[in-house]
């Protein structure tokens, strides 16, 4: 137990926690929205995020080449914006594909929710393994002739050739807030606000809320529920892609199984905040990120995940519906 | 040469029975296989592929010279995972065509499978498993052609405090058998110079909490016990966080993939130790001609390990037990240095080398021997 480590470096651990919490929150949106509309945990959402991280690295390889360099955030910004768009597109495409292949056939047949859950887990493995084989695919289509070199490392860490070196902006206590941290936190919160407004203020948002509340009545009122479900997956994918871009800005490397743990964390954040509740996802993500960061300071980094899940269990014991409760379907707003 | 001629004459005359071991059994292992057990896919696949390449080179040379007594290799991909390896170990001991094993690659899988191989009497030579406790189990069939973690950890801590002149060292490991073992000996050697320690988990990508702790401790050097994937991410995030001290890690990280994971700038100046000298000058050319890729860490050790088995075949060993006896008495000069085993299966002499990342590349040719 090292409470002194935490107390002496409180700003550092808090900001570190908020940065990851913001990323968890963006990924958590995908879980929470799909659950709100379909009452289904889309376990393959973590892979939607993982494909986004690869999209970011590929954009950099495409425009910059594979030479490893270190850039400031300012210099990397144009490419980062391109990468953000690419990640959002790829993630959204994977999310739509998932909906079409893994869920819609089941839902149309009226299969129990449990079957769709199993389909989700299967899709998650399939997507992760497909990424693990990417260099074999590249070899088969002769993208790269030197196959043996690639096959060995196909499941290895895949690094963005451009490492972003954060620049200090101003001191918070004994910690220097960097531009990268600030951009991640602000960008994540702005996107959450935009989405919240979209769901509350637009016609399509009303459709989403209507389907969430009562799919049958919504259908009778002329809401195209298939369309609404698609849009829900699309939005979840876009947010996961954005999270992937922010994640790559901070970490700069990914791997074929990068989605797994992060996905479990984001799902935890969604449940923590109250699954089905958009604002809950933001709160849950930030709380989880900070709790983890404090936990690793006090108990050591190997306890980080344990702290996250113990926190989840404790909160659910006291408040089974999560911090803010279910809301997407409730007639608030 | 005598052994070779005996082998040749012995083929097809198993029952000559004149009491000469070489003449009697020389052909018995012809057409049989050496097994390789290690990570061929997964996070540490690069290391396993390096080893398998060494085995293939040794077999290629042997089979060209002994066309009438070819030896093959059977590959078992453990992904370096102690949970996967035991199932493969059962397959290996139930395969009658296998008379020896190069591997297991890592310490965790060695500890998980050593008893199985010992009870089956199958001799093994590991090219890379360095955890000290493996050779303390009295598994007399288990050998390694590489110095153990105690030797490496002591040399590493000495390098940090004496050569680098670090006074505050922070030690991190990934909790695996190999990593904890190595980091433990480093901590022991550092004594008061150790200002803090922490543990991460395999596959972890976010190192921010460790980075914060290291910076808070005021460390001027970091030692990481583990493999290149996490080592690369750790040093990258340390440099992003403004850490300017020395970064050192052990043989699990001593691979060009470390630089790839970290990025050239962050990896620059990193020190990676290994209980292995660089490969002899012509080794890589030979290796590349057969394997089709550059040799890497543990390629020479695996080549030497395979050659010891092949020497046993040439010597006329006919059973796994005879092969094991042969290994115990072996004394020779391998591509990785002089090789002889003590009664526990540890190599008798080993020198630890410090390798450096220079100009964005891991310089494999010019390491510095740590004395």
């Amino acid at each position: 137990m090292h409470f002194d480590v935490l107390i002496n470096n409180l700003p550092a651990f808090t900001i570190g926690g908020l940065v990851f919490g913001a990323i968890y929150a963006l990924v958590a949106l995908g879980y929470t929205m799909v659950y709100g509309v379909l009452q289904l945990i889309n376990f393959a959402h973590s892979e939607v995020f993982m494909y986004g991280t690869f999209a970011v690295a590929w954009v950099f390889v495409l425009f910059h080449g594979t030479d490893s360099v270190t850039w400031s955030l300012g210099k990397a910004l144009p490419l980062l914006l391109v990468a953000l768009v690419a990640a959002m597109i790829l993630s959204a495409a994977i999310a739509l594909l998932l909906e079409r292949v893994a869920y819609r056939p089941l839902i149309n047949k009226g299969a129990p929710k449990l079957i769709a859950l199993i389909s989700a887990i299967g899709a998650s493995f399939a997507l992760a393994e497909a990424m693990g084989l990417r260099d074999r695919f590249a070899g088969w289509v002769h993208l790269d002739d030197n196959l043996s070199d690639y096959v060995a490392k196909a499941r290895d860490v895949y690094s963005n050739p451009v490492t972003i070196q954060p620049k200090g902006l101003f001191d918070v206590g004994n910690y220097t807030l960097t531009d990268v941290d600030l951009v991640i936190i602000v960008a994540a919160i702005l996107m959450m606000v935009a989405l919240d407004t979209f769901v509350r203020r637009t016609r399509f948002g009303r459709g989403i809320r209507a389907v969430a509340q009562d799919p049958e009545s919504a259908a009778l009122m002329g809401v195209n529920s298939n369309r609404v479900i698609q849009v829900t997956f699309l939005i979840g994918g876009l947010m996961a892609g954005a999270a992937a871009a922010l994640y790559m800005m901070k970490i700069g490397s990914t791997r074929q199984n990068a989605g797994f743990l992060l996905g479990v964390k984001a799902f935890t954040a969604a449940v923590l905040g109250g699954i089905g509740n958009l604002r809950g996802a933001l709160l849950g993500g930030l709380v989880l990120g900070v709790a983890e960061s404090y936990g690793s300071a006090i108990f050591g980094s190997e306890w980080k995940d344990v702290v996250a899940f113990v926190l989840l269990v404790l909160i659910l014991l006291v408040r089974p519906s999560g911090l803010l409760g279910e809301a997407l379907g409730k007639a608030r707003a | 040469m005598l052994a070779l001629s005996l082998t040749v004459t012995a083929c097809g005359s198993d029952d000559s029975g004149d009491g000469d071991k070489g003449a009697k059994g020389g052909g018995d292992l012809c057409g049989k296989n050496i097994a390789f057990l290690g990570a061929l896919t997964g996070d540490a696949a690069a290391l396993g592929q390096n080893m398998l390449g060494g085995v293939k080179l040794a077999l290629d040379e042997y089979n060209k010279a002994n066309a009438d007594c070819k030896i093959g290799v059977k590959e078992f991909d453990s992904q370096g995972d102690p949970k996967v390896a035991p199932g493969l170990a059962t397959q290996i001991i139930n395969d009658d065509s296998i008379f020896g094993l190069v591997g297991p690659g890592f310490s965790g899988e060695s500890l998980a499978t050593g008893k199985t191989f010992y009870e089956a009497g199958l001799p093994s030579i590991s090219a890379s498993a360095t955890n000290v406790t493996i050779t303390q189990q009295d598994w007399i069939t288990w050998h390694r052609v590489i110095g153990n973690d105690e030797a490496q950890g002591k040399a590493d801590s000495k390098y940090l405090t004496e050569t680098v002149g670090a006074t505050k060292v922070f030690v991190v490991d990934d909790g695996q058998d190999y990593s904890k073992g190595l980091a433990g000996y480093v901590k022991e050697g550092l004594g008061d110079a150790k200002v803090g320690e922490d543990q991460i988990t395999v596959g972890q990508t976010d190192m921010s909490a460790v980075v914060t702790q290291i910076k808070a401790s005021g460390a001027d050097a970091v030692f990481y016990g583990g493999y290149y994937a996490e080592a690369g991410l750790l040093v990258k995030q340390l440099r992003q966080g403004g850490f300017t001290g020395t970064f050192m890690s052990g043989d699990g990280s001593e691979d060009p993939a470390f630089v790839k994971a970290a990025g050239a700038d962050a990896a620059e100046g990193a020190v990676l130790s290994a209980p292995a000298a660089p490969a002899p000058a012509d080794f890589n050319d030979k290796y590349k001609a057969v394997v089709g890729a550059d040799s890497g860490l543990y390629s020479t050790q695996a080549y030497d390990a395979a050659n010891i088995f092949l020497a046993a075949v040439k010597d006329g060993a006919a059973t796994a037990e005879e092969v094991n006896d042969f290994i115990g008495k072996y004394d020779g000069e391998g591509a990785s240095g002089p090789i002889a085993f003590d009664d526990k299966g540890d190599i008798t002499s080993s020198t630890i080398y410090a390798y450096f990342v220079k100009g964005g590349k891991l310089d494999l040719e010019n390491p510095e021997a740590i004395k």
Side-chain angles (χ1 to χ4, degrees):
Chain A
M1 304 276 260
H2 304 286
F3 284 104
D4 52 321
V5 175
L6 175 60
I7 304 298
N8 294 335
N9 304 283
L10 198 61
F13 283 108
T14 309
I15 292 167
L18 287 177
V19 168
F20 273 87
I23 294 172
Y24 293 156
L26 277 179
V27 181
L29 288 178
Y31 289 98
T32 231
M33 286 194 53
V34 169
Y35 181 83
V37 171
L38 283 177
Q39 274 77 53
L40 165 78
I41 305 295
N42 175 15
F43 271 117
H45 190 60
S46 48
E47 271 54 51
V48 171
F49 164 83
M50 183 268 289
Y51 274 74
T53 60
F54 276 93
V56 174
W58 289 334
V59 163
F60 276 87
V61 170
L62 193 67
F63 287 96
H64 166 73
T66 49
D67 294 341
S68 154
V69 294
T70 303
W71 285 358
S72 67
L73 183 60
K75 190 169 182 201
L77 206 57
L79 264 185
L80 264 176
L81 289 176
V82 178
L84 173 76
V85 173
M88 288 174 85
I89 291 173
L90 181 63
S91 286
I94 297 282
L96 288 177
L97 181 77
L98 259 178
E99 192 268 338
R100 186 74 194 79
V101 174
Y103 303 126
R104 198 187 305 171
L106 296 172
I107 293 164
N108 285 349
K109 286 196 182 106
K113 290 273 148 56
L114 188 64
I115 304 294
L117 186 76
I118 293 166
S119 175
I121 294 170
S124 168
F125 282 121
L127 284 171
E129 293 307 310
M131 184 55 85
L133 287 173
R134 64 178 190 275
D135 292 332
R136 271 181 220 239
F137 292 139
W140 288 333
V141 297
H142 302 290
L143 270 175
D144 199 308
D145 290 332
N146 191 0
L147 190 60
S148 65
D149 219 25
Y150 276 80
V151 172
K153 307 204 173 177
R155 294 159 67 95
D156 226 330
V157 172
Y158 193 94
S159 280
N160 188 335
V162 177
T163 304
I164 296 166
Q165 179 65 42
K167 219 185 289 166
L169 293 177
F170 50 84
D171 290 345
V172 186
N174 55 357
Y175 178 74
T176 310
L177 185 78
T178 66
D179 48 2
V180 169
D181 292 345
L182 190 72
V183 166
I184 290 175
I185 297 173
V186 171
I189 292 177
L190 280 182
M191 268 182 274
M192 307 276 294
V193 171
L195 177 64
D196 196 63
T197 313
F198 173 81
V199 172
R200 274 159 211 280
R201 299 267 180 262
T202 64
R203 232 171 84 86
F204 232 110
R206 196 155 63 218
I208 291 175
R209 279 182 288 135
V211 174
Q213 217 169 61
D214 187 344
E216 278 167 22
S217 307
L220 290 174
M221 295 296 165
V223 178
N224 182 342
S225 69
N226 266 345
R227 195 64 193 284
V228 164
I229 292 169
Q230 271 180 338
V231 170
T232 307
F233 273 88
L234 177 78
I235 293 174
L238 291 174
M239 293 293 157
L246 298 178
Y247 175 89
M248 289 300 280
M249 222 167 103
K250 177 82 181 163
I251 303 284
S253 311
T254 181
R255 54 170 79 175
Q256 153 268 356
N257 59 0
F260 177 72
L261 195 59
L262 198 128
V264 174
K265 294 285 178 58
F267 170 63
T268 308
V271 175
L272 197 60
I275 192 150
N277 185 324
L278 295 182
R279 293 176 183 181
L282 176 63
L283 182 68
L286 295 180
V287 167
L288 186 74
V290 173
E292 261 187 14
S293 185
Y294 287 179
S296 45
I298 296 170
F299 304 108
S301 296
E302 72 270 34
W303 293 96
K304 189 170 113 174
D305 303 336
V306 179
V307 169
F309 297 122
V310 168
L311 174 80
L312 175 72
V313 171
L314 289 180
I315 290 192
L316 291 185
L317 279 176
V318 184
R319 235 188 114 75
S321 58
L323 291 171
L324 296 186
E326 283 186 50
L328 195 62
K330 301 286 177 289
R332 284 205 328 222
Chain B
M1 277 302 104
L2 177 67
L4 174 64
S5 56
L6 286 173
T7 309
V8 172
T9 52
C11 277
S13 58
D14 281 358
D15 298 320
S16 56
D18 58 6
D20 183 313
K21 202 167 95 181
K24 188 177 73 184
D28 286 5
L29 295 177
C30 289
K32 300 221 165 170
N33 295 298
I34 296 173
F36 172 80
L37 176 62
L40 295 174
T41 61
D43 294 341
L47 297 177
Q49 296 285 353
N50 290 346
M51 291 183 236
L52 183 60
V55 175
K56 282 183 175 163
L57 173 60
L59 286 174
D60 183 74
E61 289 177 353
Y62 179 86
N63 288 338
K64 271 184 192 147
N66 302 279
D68 54 345
C69 178
K70 288 195 171 171
I71 303 291
V73 59
K74 286 197 172 173
E75 302 166 19
F76 295 87
D77 177 13
S78 67
Q79 302 180 352
D81 186 342
K83 295 190 288 296
V84 175
L88 299 173
T90 312
Q91 285 181 34
I92 292 171
I93 59 171
N94 287 331
D95 187 333
D96 291 338
S97 77
I98 292 171
F99 66 90
L101 168 70
V102 175
F106 300 144
S107 297
E109 50 187 347
S110 296
L111 286 165
T113 58
K115 193 156 188 272
T116 309
F117 290 127
Y118 166 63
E119 282 169 356
L122 186 80
S124 67
I125 305 175
S126 177
S128 57
T130 49
N131 186 289
V132 174
T133 59
I134 306 170
T135 43
Q136 293 166 353
Q137 314 283 333
D138 295 329
W139 296 327
I140 54 159
T141 55
W142 203 94
H143 312 81
R144 58 178 149 213
V145 288
I146 194 157
N148 70 23
D149 293 336
E150 186 171 2
Q152 192 182 165
K154 283 182 175 159
D156 289 354
S157 56
K158 212 168 147 195
Y159 183 84
L160 282 171
T161 50
E162 290 175 14
T163 311
V164 176
T167 52
K168 292 175 171 183
V169 183
F170 198 100
V171 183
V172 185
D173 69 69
D174 70 8
Q176 298 196 84
D177 288 329
Y178 153 74
S179 321
K180 264 195 307 197
L182 177 61
Y185 287 106
V186 170
K187 288 180 213 165
E188 215 178 283
L190 286 172
D192 293 340
K194 188 199 87 175
V195 288
E197 57 183 292
D198 200 2
Q199 203 169 69
I200 60 158
T201 48
V202 179
Q204 186 173 329
T205 46
D206 159 32
M207 310 286 177
S208 59
V210 188
V211 170
T212 306
Q213 297 211 30
I214 290 172
K215 285 183 66 195
S217 71
D220 51 12
V222 170
F223 183 87
Y224 177 73
Y227 297 98
Y228 58 84
E230 286 80 18
L233 291 177
L234 178 60
V235 69
K236 175 189 212 162
Q237 290 175 40
L238 273 170
R239 298 297 183 217
Q240 283 177 322
F243 175 78
T244 51
T246 304
F247 181 86
M248 184 171 194
S249 185
D251 53 328
S253 305
E254 201 243 309
D255 187 283
F258 166 78
V259 184
K260 221 177 115 199
D265 291 338
E268 192 67 25
V271 187
L272 308 169
S273 70
D282 59 334
F283 183 82
N284 193 45
D285 295 338
K286 286 195 295 182
Y287 185 97
K288 208 166 178 178
V290 172
V291 182
D294 283 318
S295 67
L297 178 64
Y298 304 137
S299 291
T300 52
Q301 280 82 2
Y303 172 77
D304 290 345
N307 272 332
I308 296 171
F309 283 115
L310 296 172
V313 174
K314 263 195 183 178
D315 189 56
T319 63
E321 204 184 336
E322 284 171 24
V323 172
N324 201 42
D325 290 343
F326 179 86
I327 297 171
K329 293 189 201 106
Y330 186 84
D331 191 351
E333 187 70 29
S336 63
I339 295 172
F341 300 97
D342 65 15
D343 52 1
K344 285 175 167 173
D346 268 314
I347 191 166
T348 47
S349 68
S350 69
T351 310
I352 312 296
Y353 292 84
Y355 292 77
F356 305 93
V357 179
K358 273 183 207 153
K361 266 180 137 171
L362 177 59
D363 182 0
L364 290 167
E365 272 98 49
N366 309 298
E368 194 179 293
I370 307 174
K371 285 173 198 107

